[in-house]
Amino acid sequence: MTRWSTLLLDDASLAQMPDLPVDHVLRHADVVAAQQPKPQALYERWEKQQWSAQAIELEPDRHDFDKRLSQPAKKAIQESVATFIIGEYTGLDLLAPILTGAPEETDHLYLGTQIADETRHTQLMLRLGEEILGLDSDPKRMLVQAWNMCTPPHRELSRLETEVIRTLQNAPSDYGQWLRAVALFHLISEGVLALVGQRAIVQSLHKVPLMPGLKAGFTAMCRDESRHVSFGLHALRQGVREGYTDEICDMIEQSAPLALRIEEGGEAEYAPGIPSMRQLGIDSLRRQLRLIGIDQTFTEHVVGLIGKQPAAEDS
Ligand SMILES: [Fe+2]
Ligand SMILES: [Fe+2]
């Protein structure tokens, strides 16, 4: 571990990622977001941060998963990977209308990179689904299997995403609708759910010398997510400045409680000492809303809604 203590995630190769200091990986997205990078700077980071989903060696992971992991750890990995199979695939689907509706040329040029990233993430998740979890190799059938493993709040959130994106598709130059889609996708699905989920996996595995491929892949995804979330914060900060706070807040009010209840209905138990996804998500939501200039009273109102919503319907 000492060997890489000065190595930054920004410059790490895929092979170096499992050995990076965990604190550095966990803080990375916040450090990038605090710099408030513009879309062109995010594009330039992307050019330097390429990796290959196909190059990750998964044979040792399959052995660890089958023979060495405890039952609760296996359950937690199964649920997370299923969530990411659906999340990455639907993310790819949602980004096309967000790219088309981008208000500025620089936004458009950045969003092309994110579509490439989500394609790579989906490819990695399909490999994990087949090679680690033993799901069907046909993506169509694997998506159905993964959907059935997702919790009811996650399914509800996916349905909301589809609804919001359909509305944007019908009115691609409606800036308010574009901001609603970015608030839902970049801030909630990525900034609260994906980033927190990736960090939870990296954190729970960092003391265990197992699953090196999974660790490398999720660390690389954390680094990509720091660019995605930073873009969302840039776009929403601009939206708030231009008077679209109501559209953004309305979307967050609808979606944040679902995202923060994502674990409900799941069977995974988390190791003692690892904060729950909900607590990590609340911290992330508070930090991001502050960064785009939303009043703290609204943030606490949304956090207070979590316990009040009825459980999402399972179907
Ligand atoms: Fe992704
Ligand atoms: Fe992403």
Side-chain angles (χ1 to χ4, degrees), residues 88 114 117-118 121 185 190 194 198 224-225 228:
E88 299 299 344
Q114 193 175 338
D117 287 344
E118 306 305 359
H121 298 176
F185 185 61
E190 300 197 291
Q198 288 154 5
D224 292 348
E225 219 62 80
H228 306 171

Side-chain angles (χ1 to χ4, degrees), residues 7-300:
L7 183 66
L8 296 174
L9 177 55
D10 273 343
D11 303 314
S13 69
L14 201 50
Q16 293 163 336
M17 286 186 184
D19 298 323
L20 286 171
V22 70
D23 288 351
H24 184 79
V25 178
L26 300 182
R27 275 187 289 109
H28 181 256
D30 299 333
V31 172
V32 175
Q35 294 163 9
Q36 305 195 0
K38 297 274 190 311
Q40 180 62 21
L42 293 170
Y43 172 80
E44 287 167 21
R45 291 177 79 86
W46 175 81
E47 269 202 347
K48 293 182 198 141
Q49 296 181 337
Q50 299 295 312
W51 55 281
S52 162
Q54 297 302 324
I56 295 180
E57 172 67 74
L58 290 178
E59 198 52 47
D61 290 55
R62 193 207 319 245
H63 179 264
D64 290 343
F65 189 81
D66 290 344
K67 313 266 183 232
R68 300 179 65 190
L69 277 186
S70 68
Q71 209 49 40
K74 280 172 84 157
K75 193 80 214 162
I77 287 175
Q78 266 166 342
E79 285 192 4
S80 293
V81 171
T83 299
F84 277 99
I85 290 171
I86 297 299
E88 299 299 344
Y89 185 82
T90 52
L92 182 55
D93 232 4
L94 302 174
L95 272 169
I98 293 180
L99 173 85
T100 306
E104 303 278 344
E105 288 75 6
T106 49
D107 297 327
H108 197 70
L109 289 165
Y110 157 78
L111 283 161
T113 72
Q114 193 175 338
I115 288 188
D117 287 344
E118 306 305 359
T119 307
R120 181 161 23 215
H121 298 176
T122 307
Q123 291 277 354
L124 177 62
M125 289 308 115
L126 294 176
R127 283 196 64 205
L128 293 178
E130 182 186 352
E131 296 174 42
I132 308 283
L133 268 49
L135 299 180
D136 200 299
S137 61
D138 174 17
K140 198 190 287 291
R141 286 195 288 265
M142 189 195 294
L143 284 160
V144 175
Q145 290 174 320
W147 178 258
N148 289 332
M149 292 161 78
C150 287
T151 61
H154 186 196
R155 293 185 210 169
E156 196 63 26
L157 189 69
S158 299
R159 290 192 193 99
L160 180 62
E161 283 176 338
T162 309
E163 215 175 275
V164 168
I165 288 296
R166 276 202 193 128
T167 314
L168 178 61
Q169 250 166 345
N170 293 332
S173 50
D174 181 337
Y175 181 47
Q177 192 56 39
W178 186 79
L179 287 168
R180 286 169 64 85
V182 171
L184 175 56
F185 185 61
H186 287 79
L187 199 141
I188 299 298
S189 297
E190 300 197 291
V192 173
L193 261 193
L195 200 56
V196 166
Q198 288 154 5
R199 284 167 165 174
I201 288 196
V202 170
Q203 193 176 12
S204 61
L205 287 175
H206 93 278
K207 284 194 182 136
V208 195
L210 300 174
M211 311 293 288
L214 191 94
K215 260 186 239 178
F218 273 87
T219 304
M221 293 204 323
C222 266
R223 183 169 73 182
D224 292 348
E225 219 62 80
S226 72
R227 296 191 305 274
H228 306 171
V229 172
S230 290
F231 173 77
L233 295 175
H234 159 80
L236 296 170
R237 201 179 293 123
Q238 188 108 332
V240 167
R241 262 192 234 122
E242 293 184 21
Y244 288 83
T245 305
D246 287 352
E247 283 81 352
I248 294 167
C249 286
D250 177 60
M251 195 68 258
I252 289 165
E253 193 174 20
Q254 279 187 58
S255 56
L258 285 173
L260 293 168
R261 291 170 41 239
I262 199 82
E263 293 162 301
E264 283 179 16
E267 293 168 19
E269 293 162 23
Y270 290 88
I274 307 278
S276 74
M277 292 271 284
R278 178 173 298 179
Q279 194 49 52
L280 290 169
I282 291 173
D283 296 346
S284 193
L285 182 70
R286 286 195 172 114
R287 202 166 33 242
Q288 293 186 56
L289 292 181
R290 193 171 53 240
L291 279 168
I292 63 172
I294 299 287
D295 194 82
Q296 203 188 340
T297 322
F298 172 78
T299 309
E300 295 315 315

